[in-house]
């Protein structure tokens, strides 16, 4: 199934932060959505409410993809259930308030993508003390074991983008050192991506000239930091290992602002802007991790908990039963194949706008 259409996306953006699949949220809360002790089963599963709490607005994915796809899957599983969707806009305190509000409204399960992985431990503890299971989503919560974790393999993501970059630099005979632009220091998933990237670079012949942990994954902060490194290292920079498309885009903007050639830059998340930068040759790679995969898996796990069942895990991470999906590296070489996949978040036509048409034709996309 393809990502929701543009009108559907606009409808999500225009909606309130509470998405009701049917009926009134108050009605579900009044019916007593609290769970049995430790079981996660709702008093009436078919009338349950599930909270879907996302971390920030810096990444467009949560509003455009994660929330609509999770909500759609929950609707398929339980037409009369309610999804309480809220976005914390990079504030751990706001996310705590949103979690408390969801519990007060009778949420039978919470799907949580934490702003701050350490601070989220309090949310987990509070929810579990009320018998409400927490599904960590995309980012793990190391300090307090959630009831389940659904994500792509973040350490594999870091290793994959760095290995792909190193292989390209070796094949092209490009010499120099690397900049490593990591994600947020408060995000445990960013730490896993960093570990994977560091391991891959350390096993190569390339030296890390400097590295930076980007607060809140903010692209402008990544750009500011890279600007300083361009001034310092200049042509000695052979490439940039950026942890996601936002930080990668910030790095690319820094080189362009300095009037310097843009070296190969990595990314992750397969955002539309990143796909266009790959087409243009500004960004070397990104990671395709179809949001539909994790959003639907999280809905399945939440529905199992609502029914008092134990969802199946394929591994354990941070003492948490987990489902970890494999990422796919995307470069110019396989971009067309990824865009033709049924789970692609956008189409060739979305990528190949007038500005990128010539580059698309050179790559055989049109």
């Amino acid at each position: 199934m393809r990502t929701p259409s543009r009108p559907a996306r606009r409808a999500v953006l225009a909606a309130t932060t509470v998405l009701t699949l049917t009926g009134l949220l108050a009605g579900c809360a009044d019916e007593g959505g609290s769970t049995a002790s430790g079981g996660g089963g709702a008093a009436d599963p078919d009338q349950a409410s599930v909270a879907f709490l996302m971390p920030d607005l810096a990444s467009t994915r949560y509003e455009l993809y994660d929330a609509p796809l999770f909500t759609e899957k929950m609707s398929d599983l339980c037409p009369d259930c309610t999804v309480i969707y809220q976005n914390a806009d990079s504030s751990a305190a706001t996310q705590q308030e949103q979690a408390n509000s969801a519990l007060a409204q009778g949420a039978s399960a919470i799907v949580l993508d934490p702003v701050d992985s350490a601070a989220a431990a309090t949310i987990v503890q509070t929810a579990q003390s009320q018998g409400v299971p927490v599904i960590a989503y995309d980012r793990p919560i190391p300090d307090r074991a959630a009831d389940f974790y659904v994500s792509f393999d973040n350490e594999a993501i870091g290793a994959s983008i760095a290995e792909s970059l190193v292989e390209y630099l070796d094949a092209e005979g490009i010499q120099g050192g690397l900049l490593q632009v990591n994600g947020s220091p408060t995000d445990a998933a960013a730490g896993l991506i960093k570990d994977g990237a560091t391991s891959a670079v350390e096993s190569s012949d390339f030296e890390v000239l400097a590295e930076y942990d980007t607060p809140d994954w903010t692209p402008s902060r990544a750009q500011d930091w890279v600007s300083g490194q361009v001034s310092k290292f200049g042509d000695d920079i052979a490439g940039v290992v950026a942890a996601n498309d936002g930080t990668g885009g910030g790095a690319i903007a820094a080189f362009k602002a300095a009037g310097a050639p843009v070296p190969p830059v990595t990314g992750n998340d397969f955002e539309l802007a990143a796909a266009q930068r790959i087409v243009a040759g500004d960004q070397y790679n990104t990671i395709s991790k179809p949001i539909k995969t994790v959003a639907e898996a999280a809905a399945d796990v939440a529905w199992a908990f609502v029914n008092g069942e134990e969802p199946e895990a394929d591994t354990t991470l941070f003492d948490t039963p987990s489902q970890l999906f494999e990422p796919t590296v995307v470069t110019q070489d396989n971009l067309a194949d990824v865009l033709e996949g049924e789970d692609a978040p956008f189409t060739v036509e979305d990528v190949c706008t007038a500005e990128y048409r010539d580059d698309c034709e050179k790559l055989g996309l049109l």
Side-chain angles (χ1 to χ4, degrees), residues 19 23 53 62 76 86 114 123 220 263 337 361:
L19 301 178
L53 308 181
Y62 302 114
D76 290 342
Q86 293 188 316
I123 295 175
S220 60
D337 292 337
E361 288 177 348

Side-chain angles (χ1 to χ4, degrees), residues 126-252:
T126 301
Q128 290 176 341
S129 71
Q130 299 181 34
V132 177
V134 177
I135 300 109
Y137 181 86
D138 198 32
R139 303 173 181 179
I141 305 171
D143 294 343
R144 174 84 184 197
D147 296 272
F148 209 87
Y149 176 45
V150 175
S151 180
F152 280 86
D153 188 331
N154 287 296
E155 190 163 350
I157 286 172
S160 296
I161 58 177
E163 288 169 358
S164 170
L165 176 66
V166 166
E167 288 172 2
Y168 174 78
L169 296 176
D170 282 338
E172 296 295 318
I174 299 173
Q175 298 182 343
L178 304 177
L179 299 180
Q180 188 166 323
V181 187
N182 306 311
S184 172
T186 62
D187 176 359
L192 293 172
I193 294 171
K194 178 180 178 178
D195 289 344
T198 299
S199 176
V201 172
E202 286 180 346
S203 64
S204 75
D205 294 329
F206 290 91
E207 172 192 2
V208 174
L209 300 173
E211 67 176 302
Y212 177 64
D213 294 340
T214 310
D216 298 325
W217 293 91
T218 307
S220 60
R221 294 194 178 189
Q223 179 176 346
D224 290 344
W225 181 80
V226 172
S227 293
Q229 308 315 304
V230 173
S231 298
K232 182 176 181 180
F233 295 109
D235 293 339
D236 290 335
I237 302 171
V240 179
V241 182
N244 77 341
D245 291 333
T247 55
I252 291 166

Side-chain angles (χ1 to χ4, degrees), residues 33-43 45 108-109 127-135 147 301-311:
S34 61
T35 63
S37 177
S108 298
Q128 290 176 341
S129 71
Q130 299 181 34
V132 177
V134 177
I135 300 109
D147 296 272
V301 170
W303 181 233
F305 278 128
V306 166
N307 284 279
E309 302 169 357
E310 288 293 327

Side-chain angles (χ1 to χ4, degrees), residues 22 27 29 32 49 92 136 151 155-156 233-234 239 243 272 295 311-312 333 346 351 362:
T22 186
S49 59
S151 180
E155 190 163 350
F233 295 109
L272 175 58
E312 284 191 30
D333 293 337
F346 37 77
V351 175
K362 290 177 183 176

